[in-house]
Amino acid sequence: MMNIREIDIFSGAKRPVVIAGPCSAESEEQVVAVATSLAGSGVALFRAGIWKPRTRPGCFEGVGACGLEWLARVKKEFSLPVATEVATAAHVEQALSAGIDVLWVGARTVTNPFAVQEVAEALRGVDVPVLVKNPVNPDLELWVGALERLYNCGVTRLGAVHRGFSSYGEKFFRNSPQWQLPLELKNRLPQLPLICDPSHIAGKSELVQGLAQQAMDLNFDGLMVEVHHAPSCALSDARQQITPEELSSVLAGLVRRSSLSDAVEFATFRDKIDELDKEIIALISKRMAVSKEIGEVKKNKGVTVFQPFRYKETMERCVALGAGYELSAEVVRGVFEAIHSESIRQQLQIVNKKANDEK
Ligand code: PEP
Ligand code: MN
């Protein structure tokens, strides 16, 4: 059980806690221009990448250690705490000696336990807050593992940043949000502040607002937004950055909801839902009873438990049925994949049990 301590920027009730700044520090002028616009606008922490882990070589890979001085200037001149990304022990040492207030570990680094361990070891005995982005692949254990590695080295002021998950092919968002992963992380570690990075999920500036609202609706604690004074000229992630003015309008447009859920009106609906959940479980169990009977027949006829044709046909039928009830194909598929795999598990038990008995 991790005893996570609060990071200063999260103390006090104000939500969302806003972290903003350019994807990359590009020049001293650019950093100072963005910071000038953000100072005094309610932004709690200024972000800028110095070492940029780009997926392909040849892209802008950051200005390196010289950018740390620009961040130190922002901290001093605007009394704005500053954050940057670290991926190696050398980054950690340089960032700490420049007085960087908060560090974050990026999505590509979190996929690699060796790299995370190196960063964690470099932080042993240093009480600096660290934000951990989700790994690029939707693996909750890897995300939790990175938090644990840091915690085990004495880093107890931790936060998680949800920046979406990469996938292959045509997609609406640059990184699919798969909201169930950050929500499950929050279930496991309720003290951990959850920050949404709508910029990296969106990949396009015009989608930032909607995602920020969705994060608020899901009770996220904060937002990390990429802000550049001239997004189209940005050296990295140009398409997804917004101007300081656009950030103000995104924040002003957010509908904030209370996280309290004890309104009396909920009680009757919740009773109804509890009743329906009971019926769903009873129905699944009825379906399993039929599956078990089929399991007996499969055993007697020497037929394989898994029938690909039938599986495909069931999925297609259920997805089509679900569409008639405005249920997304993704959800119907998820539910029926789970039911089908339980069916298979139970049928395998029948087949194998009988086989053993006959020996
Ligand atoms: C970033 O914050 O600019 C960045 C590189 O993000 P991520 O690690 O989420 O890709
Ligand atoms: Mn970026």
Side-chain angles (χ1 to χ4, degrees):
M1 171 64 186
M2 289 195 262
N3 183 17
I4 293 162
R5 285 160 59 229
E6 187 171 66
I7 305 176
D8 295 357
I9 55 168
F10 290 96
S11 63
K14 203 179 154 297
R15 294 290 184 268
V17 169
V18 181
I19 303 168
C23 175
S24 303
E26 299 169 4
S27 67
E28 186 160 6
E29 296 67 41
Q30 173 247 10
V31 168
V32 171
V34 180
T36 307
S37 310
L38 294 180
S41 69
V43 168
L45 181 65
F46 184 82
R47 63 146 284 156
I50 300 292
W51 300 285
K52 299 300 299 177
R54 298 290 82 186
T55 302
R56 303 277 304 273
C59 301
F60 176 63
E61 294 191 321
V63 292
C66 71
L68 292 170
E69 289 163 29
W70 311 337
L71 286 178
R73 187 175 155 196
V74 168
K75 176 175 169 163
K76 190 158 162 259
E77 285 180 24
F78 301 96
S79 303
L80 201 53
V82 292
T84 202
E85 173 173 349
V86 290
T88 66
H91 293 166
V92 171
E93 278 149 32
Q94 294 174 82
L96 292 176
S97 53
I100 302 298
D101 302 282
V102 175
L103 307 178
W104 86 79
V105 187
R108 292 159 191 77
T109 307
V110 175
T111 55
N112 180 351
F114 288 128
V116 174
Q117 191 63 36
E118 177 183 323
V119 167
E121 296 292 348
L123 286 166
R124 220 180 255 286
V126 184
D127 187 19
V128 68
V130 180
L131 306 177
V132 179
K133 288 207 167 192
N134 65 254
V136 284
N137 54 325
D139 184 340
L140 183 61
E141 301 313 317
L142 211 44
W143 200 359
V144 173
L147 290 157
E148 285 172 341
R149 284 176 196 281
L150 287 155
Y151 186 85
N152 291 346
C153 286
V155 180
T156 54
R157 289 190 289 163
L158 290 163
V161 182
H162 169 230
R163 49 79 79 201
F165 303 90
S166 51
S167 60
Y168 178 70
E170 271 294 299
K171 50 208 171 179
F172 183 70
F173 293 118
R174 176 181 178 194
N175 290 296
S176 153
Q178 307 209 29
W179 297 98
Q180 68 278 20
L181 274 104
L183 297 183
E184 176 55 24
L185 182 68
K186 187 74 174 177
N187 280 340
R188 288 214 213 164
L189 301 169
Q191 291 159 293
L192 187 73
L194 204 52
I195 299 150
C196 177
D197 171 345
S199 308
H200 286 90
I201 296 175
K204 296 179 197 75
S205 55
E206 60 273 23
L207 299 178
V208 168
Q209 167 92 58
L211 287 163
Q213 182 62 55
Q214 196 160 349
M216 291 301 93
D217 296 343
L218 295 174
N219 206 13
F220 274 60
D221 301 285
L223 296 172
M224 181 191 258
V225 186
E226 286 191 338
V227 177
H228 195 288
H229 61 289
S232 58
C233 305
L235 298 183
S236 60
D237 290 351
R239 197 54 193 84
Q240 72 196 28
Q241 303 206 58
I242 60 174
T243 63
E245 296 70 35
E246 285 167 337
L247 176 68
S248 301
S249 98
V250 165
L251 296 177
L254 285 180
V255 179
R256 287 149 218 250
R257 304 185 204 280
S258 155
S259 62
L260 296 175
S261 67
D262 54 1
V264 280
E265 295 93 310
F266 288 147
T268 37
F269 293 123
R270 288 191 168 149
D271 288 348
K272 275 189 201 161
I273 287 197
D274 292 353
E275 236 359 87
L276 287 166
D277 285 347
K278 233 197 251 170
E279 285 178 33
I280 293 172
I281 299 275
L283 262 180
I284 294 175
S285 147
K286 247 181 169 171
R287 192 187 188 283
M288 288 305 153
V290 180
S291 276
K292 281 187 194 164
E293 287 178 46
I294 300 178
E296 302 285 353
V297 180
K298 282 177 179 166
K299 162 69 192 149
N300 294 338
K301 301 241 182 240
V303 172
T304 57
V305 164
F306 182 53
Q307 298 282 312
F309 174 76
R310 170 71 179 157
Y311 176 71
K312 189 167 174 284
E313 185 268 319
T314 303
M315 284 299 161
E316 284 168 1
R317 183 170 31 81
C318 292
V319 165
L321 267 173
Y325 293 92
E326 291 185 20
L327 291 170
S328 78
E330 194 187 358
V331 162
V332 173
R333 226 176 265 125
V335 168
F336 280 89
E337 269 163 15
I339 290 176
H340 183 264
S341 90
E342 176 60 8
S343 227
I344 293 275
R345 191 187 67 82
Q346 298 210 9
Q347 290 189 354
L348 282 172
Q349 254 175 12
I350 289 172
V351 171
N352 291 326
K353 188 163 175 280
K354 292 228 166 148
N356 290 339
D357 289 350
E358 282 161 13
K359 271 182 202 157

mmCIF file with all atom_site columns, all heavy atoms in Angstrom, residues 18-31:
data_model
loop_
_atom_site.group_PDB
_atom_site.id
_atom_site.type_symbol
_atom_site.label_atom_id
_atom_site.label_alt_id
_atom_site.label_comp_id
_atom_site.label_asym_id
_atom_site.label_entity_id
_atom_site.label_seq_id
_atom_site.pdbx_PDB_ins_code
_atom_site.Cartn_x
_atom_site.Cartn_y
_atom_site.Cartn_z
_atom_site.occupancy
_atom_site.B_iso_or_equiv
_atom_site.pdbx_formal_charge
_atom_site.auth_seq_id
_atom_site.auth_comp_id
_atom_site.auth_asym_id
_atom_site.auth_atom_id
_atom_site.pdbx_PDB_model_num
ATOM 1  N N   . VAL A 1 18 ? -4.185 23.525 -13.041 1.00 0.00 ? 18 VAL A N   1
ATOM 2  C CA  . VAL A 1 18 ? -3.762 23.632 -14.443 1.00 0.00 ? 18 VAL A CA  1
ATOM 3  C C   . VAL A 1 18 ? -2.240 23.704 -14.574 1.00 0.00 ? 18 VAL A C   1
ATOM 4  O O   . VAL A 1 18 ? -1.580 24.539 -13.953 1.00 0.00 ? 18 VAL A O   1
ATOM 5  C CB  . VAL A 1 18 ? -4.409 24.869 -15.118 1.00 0.00 ? 18 VAL A CB  1
ATOM 6  C CG1 . VAL A 1 18 ? -3.986 24.963 -16.577 1.00 0.00 ? 18 VAL A CG1 1
ATOM 7  C CG2 . VAL A 1 18 ? -5.926 24.802 -15.008 1.00 0.00 ? 18 VAL A CG2 1
ATOM 8  N N   . ILE A 1 19 ? -1.725 22.791 -15.390 1.00 0.00 ? 19 ILE A N   1
ATOM 9  C CA  . ILE A 1 19 ? -0.302 22.772 -15.731 1.00 0.00 ? 19 ILE A CA  1
ATOM 10 C C   . ILE A 1 19 ? -0.266 23.162 -17.210 1.00 0.00 ? 19 ILE A C   1
ATOM 11 O O   . ILE A 1 19 ? -0.980 22.564 -18.019 1.00 0.00 ? 19 ILE A O   1
ATOM 12 C CB  . ILE A 1 19 ? 0.284  21.359 -15.531 1.00 0.00 ? 19 ILE A CB  1
ATOM 13 C CG1 . ILE A 1 19 ? 0.052  20.892 -14.084 1.00 0.00 ? 19 ILE A CG1 1
ATOM 14 C CG2 . ILE A 1 19 ? 1.767  21.308 -15.917 1.00 0.00 ? 19 ILE A CG2 1
ATOM 15 C CD1 . ILE A 1 19 ? 0.338  19.416 -13.859 1.00 0.00 ? 19 ILE A CD1 1
ATOM 16 N N   . ALA A 1 20 ? 0.509  24.163 -17.561 1.00 0.00 ? 20 ALA A N   1
ATOM 17 C CA  . ALA A 1 20 ? 0.499  24.597 -18.961 1.00 0.00 ? 20 ALA A CA  1
ATOM 18 C C   . ALA A 1 20 ? 1.870  25.112 -19.360 1.00 0.00 ? 20 ALA A C   1
ATOM 19 O O   . ALA A 1 20 ? 2.672  25.525 -18.521 1.00 0.00 ? 20 ALA A O   1
ATOM 20 C CB  . ALA A 1 20 ? -0.559 25.680 -19.164 1.00 0.00 ? 20 ALA A CB  1
ATOM 21 N N   . GLY A 1 21 ? 2.101  25.093 -20.664 1.00 0.00 ? 21 GLY A N   1
ATOM 22 C CA  . GLY A 1 21 ? 3.373  25.568 -21.200 1.00 0.00 ? 21 GLY A CA  1
ATOM 23 C C   . GLY A 1 21 ? 3.638  24.854 -22.507 1.00 0.00 ? 21 GLY A C   1
ATOM 24 O O   . GLY A 1 21 ? 2.874  23.961 -22.908 1.00 0.00 ? 21 GLY A O   1
ATOM 25 N N   . PRO A 1 22 ? 4.695  25.243 -23.209 1.00 0.00 ? 22 PRO A N   1
ATOM 26 C CA  . PRO A 1 22 ? 4.931  24.655 -24.528 1.00 0.00 ? 22 PRO A CA  1
ATOM 27 C C   . PRO A 1 22 ? 5.341  23.188 -24.460 1.00 0.00 ? 22 PRO A C   1
ATOM 28 O O   . PRO A 1 22 ? 5.862  22.730 -23.443 1.00 0.00 ? 22 PRO A O   1
ATOM 29 C CB  . PRO A 1 22 ? 6.080  25.506 -25.075 1.00 0.00 ? 22 PRO A CB  1
ATOM 30 C CG  . PRO A 1 22 ? 6.785  26.019 -23.866 1.00 0.00 ? 22 PRO A CG  1
ATOM 31 C CD  . PRO A 1 22 ? 5.744  26.195 -22.818 1.00 0.00 ? 22 PRO A CD  1
ATOM 32 N N   . CYS A 1 23 ? 5.112  22.486 -25.562 1.00 0.00 ? 23 CYS A N   1
ATOM 33 C CA  . CYS A 1 23 ? 5.592  21.103 -25.664 1.00 0.00 ? 23 CYS A CA  1
ATOM 34 C C   . CYS A 1 23 ? 7.090  21.140 -25.385 1.00 0.00 ? 23 CYS A C   1
ATOM 35 O O   . CYS A 1 23 ? 7.573  20.458 -24.494 1.00 0.00 ? 23 CYS A O   1
ATOM 36 C CB  . CYS A 1 23 ? 5.300  20.574 -27.065 1.00 0.00 ? 23 CYS A CB  1
ATOM 37 S SG  . CYS A 1 23 ? 5.970  18.945 -27.368 1.00 0.00 ? 23 CYS A SG  1
ATOM 38 N N   . SER A 1 24 ? 7.801  21.991 -26.144 1.00 0.00 ? 24 SER A N   1
ATOM 39 C CA  . SER A 1 24 ? 9.250  22.091 -25.979 1.00 0.00 ? 24 SER A CA  1
ATOM 40 C C   . SER A 1 24 ? 9.672  23.525 -25.701 1.00 0.00 ? 24 SER A C   1
ATOM 41 O O   . SER A 1 24 ? 9.099  24.458 -26.275 1.00 0.00 ? 24 SER A O   1
ATOM 42 C CB  . SER A 1 24 ? 9.975  21.684 -27.270 1.00 0.00 ? 24 SER A CB  1
ATOM 43 O OG  . SER A 1 24 ? 9.610  20.393 -27.657 1.00 0.00 ? 24 SER A OG  1
ATOM 44 N N   . ALA A 1 25 ? 10.701 23.667 -24.871 1.00 0.00 ? 25 ALA A N   1
ATOM 45 C CA  . ALA A 1 25 ? 11.376 24.958 -24.755 1.00 0.00 ? 25 ALA A CA  1
ATOM 46 C C   . ALA A 1 25 ? 12.191 25.105 -26.031 1.00 0.00 ? 25 ALA A C   1
ATOM 47 O O   . ALA A 1 25 ? 12.991 24.229 -26.367 1.00 0.00 ? 25 ALA A O   1
ATOM 48 C CB  . ALA A 1 25 ? 12.283 24.957 -23.535 1.00 0.00 ? 25 ALA A CB  1
ATOM 49 N N   . GLU A 1 26 ? 11.959 26.182 -26.778 1.00 0.00 ? 26 GLU A N   1
ATOM 50 C CA  . GLU A 1 26 ? 12.638 26.342 -28.067 1.00 0.00 ? 26 GLU A CA  1
ATOM 51 C C   . GLU A 1 26 ? 13.704 27.428 -28.039 1.00 0.00 ? 26 GLU A C   1
ATOM 52 O O   . GLU A 1 26 ? 14.739 27.315 -28.695 1.00 0.00 ? 26 GLU A O   1
ATOM 53 C CB  . GLU A 1 26 ? 11.594 26.663 -29.150 1.00 0.00 ? 26 GLU A CB  1
ATOM 54 C CG  . GLU A 1 26 ? 10.555 25.543 -29.306 1.00 0.00 ? 26 GLU A CG  1
ATOM 55 C CD  . GLU A 1 26 ? 9.365  25.949 -30.165 1.00 0.00 ? 26 GLU A CD  1
ATOM 56 O OE1 . GLU A 1 26 ? 9.364  27.068 -30.713 1.00 0.00 ? 26 GLU A OE1 1
ATOM 57 O OE2 . GLU A 1 26 ? 8.433  25.135 -30.283 1.00 0.00 ? 26 GLU A OE2 1
ATOM 58 N N   . SER A 1 27 ? 13.415 28.495 -27.307 1.00 0.00 ? 27 SER A N   1
ATOM 59 C CA  . SER A 1 27 ? 14.378 29.593 -27.164 1.00 0.00 ? 27 SER A CA  1
ATOM 60 C C   . SER A 1 27 ? 14.002 30.313 -25.881 1.00 0.00 ? 27 SER A C   1
ATOM 61 O O   . SER A 1 27 ? 12.879 30.164 -25.375 1.00 0.00 ? 27 SER A O   1
ATOM 62 C CB  . SER A 1 27 ? 14.271 30.573 -28.341 1.00 0.00 ? 27 SER A CB  1
ATOM 63 O OG  . SER A 1 27 ? 13.021 31.242 -28.277 1.00 0.00 ? 27 SER A OG  1
ATOM 64 N N   . GLU A 1 28 ? 14.920 31.117 -25.384 1.00 0.00 ? 28 GLU A N   1
ATOM 65 C CA  . GLU A 1 28 ? 14.627 31.851 -24.152 1.00 0.00 ? 28 GLU A CA  1
ATOM 66 C C   . GLU A 1 28 ? 13.429 32.789 -24.375 1.00 0.00 ? 28 GLU A C   1
ATOM 67 O O   . GLU A 1 28 ? 12.526 32.869 -23.542 1.00 0.00 ? 28 GLU A O   1
ATOM 68 C CB  . GLU A 1 28 ? 15.866 32.644 -23.707 1.00 0.00 ? 28 GLU A CB  1
ATOM 69 C CG  . GLU A 1 28 ? 15.661 33.315 -22.365 1.00 0.00 ? 28 GLU A CG  1
ATOM 70 C CD  . GLU A 1 28 ? 16.971 33.676 -21.687 1.00 0.00 ? 28 GLU A CD  1
ATOM 71 O OE1 . GLU A 1 28 ? 18.040 33.507 -22.322 1.00 0.00 ? 28 GLU A OE1 1
ATOM 72 O OE2 . GLU A 1 28 ? 16.928 34.134 -20.532 1.00 0.00 ? 28 GLU A OE2 1
ATOM 73 N N   . GLU A 1 29 ? 13.387 33.439 -25.554 1.00 0.00 ? 29 GLU A N   1
ATOM 74 C CA  . GLU A 1 29 ? 12.302 34.382 -25.867 1.00 0.00 ? 29 GLU A CA  1
ATOM 75 C C   . GLU A 1 29 ? 10.955 33.652 -25.870 1.00 0.00 ? 29 GLU A C   1
ATOM 76 O O   . GLU A 1 29 ? 9.972  34.145 -25.343 1.00 0.00 ? 29 GLU A O   1
ATOM 77 C CB  . GLU A 1 29 ? 12.504 35.033 -27.253 1.00 0.00 ? 29 GLU A CB  1
ATOM 78 C CG  . GLU A 1 29 ? 13.751 35.911 -27.374 1.00 0.00 ? 29 GLU A CG  1
ATOM 79 C CD  . GLU A 1 29 ? 15.064 35.114 -27.290 1.00 0.00 ? 29 GLU A CD  1
ATOM 80 O OE1 . GLU A 1 29 ? 15.143 34.010 -27.879 1.00 0.00 ? 29 GLU A OE1 1
ATOM 81 O OE2 . GLU A 1 29 ? 16.010 35.581 -26.619 1.00 0.00 ? 29 GLU A OE2 1
ATOM 82 N N   . GLN A 1 30 ? 10.934 32.477 -26.514 1.00 0.00 ? 30 GLN A N   1
ATOM 83 C CA  . GLN A 1 30 ? 9.667  31.729 -26.598 1.00 0.00 ? 30 GLN A CA  1
ATOM 84 C C   . GLN A 1 30 ? 9.194  31.323 -25.216 1.00 0.00 ? 30 GLN A C   1
ATOM 85 O O   . GLN A 1 30 ? 8.019  31.480 -24.869 1.00 0.00 ? 30 GLN A O   1
ATOM 86 C CB  . GLN A 1 30 ? 9.871  30.491 -27.499 1.00 0.00 ? 30 GLN A CB  1
ATOM 87 C CG  . GLN A 1 30 ? 8.690  29.532 -27.554 1.00 0.00 ? 30 GLN A CG  1
ATOM 88 C CD  . GLN A 1 30 ? 8.993  28.180 -26.919 1.00 0.00 ? 30 GLN A CD  1
ATOM 89 O OE1 . GLN A 1 30 ? 10.033 27.998 -26.268 1.00 0.00 ? 30 GLN A OE1 1
ATOM 90 N NE2 . GLN A 1 30 ? 8.092  27.235 -27.103 1.00 0.00 ? 30 GLN A NE2 1
ATOM 91 N N   . VAL A 1 31 ? 10.108 30.811 -24.386 1.00 0.00 ? 31 VAL A N   1
ATOM 92 C CA  . VAL A 1 31 ? 9.732  30.370 -23.041 1.00 0.00 ? 31 VAL A CA  1
ATOM 93 C C   . VAL A 1 31 ? 9.195  31.560 -22.238 1.00 0.00 ? 31 VAL A C   1
ATOM 94 O O   . VAL A 1 31 ? 8.131  31.473 -21.605 1.00 0.00 ? 31 VAL A O   1
ATOM 95 C CB  . VAL A 1 31 ? 10.942 29.700 -22.330 1.00 0.00 ? 31 VAL A CB  1
ATOM 96 C CG1 . VAL A 1 31 ? 10.670 29.494 -20.850 1.00 0.00 ? 31 VAL A CG1 1
ATOM 97 C CG2 . VAL A 1 31 ? 11.274 28.372 -22.998 1.00 0.00 ? 31 VAL A CG2 1
#
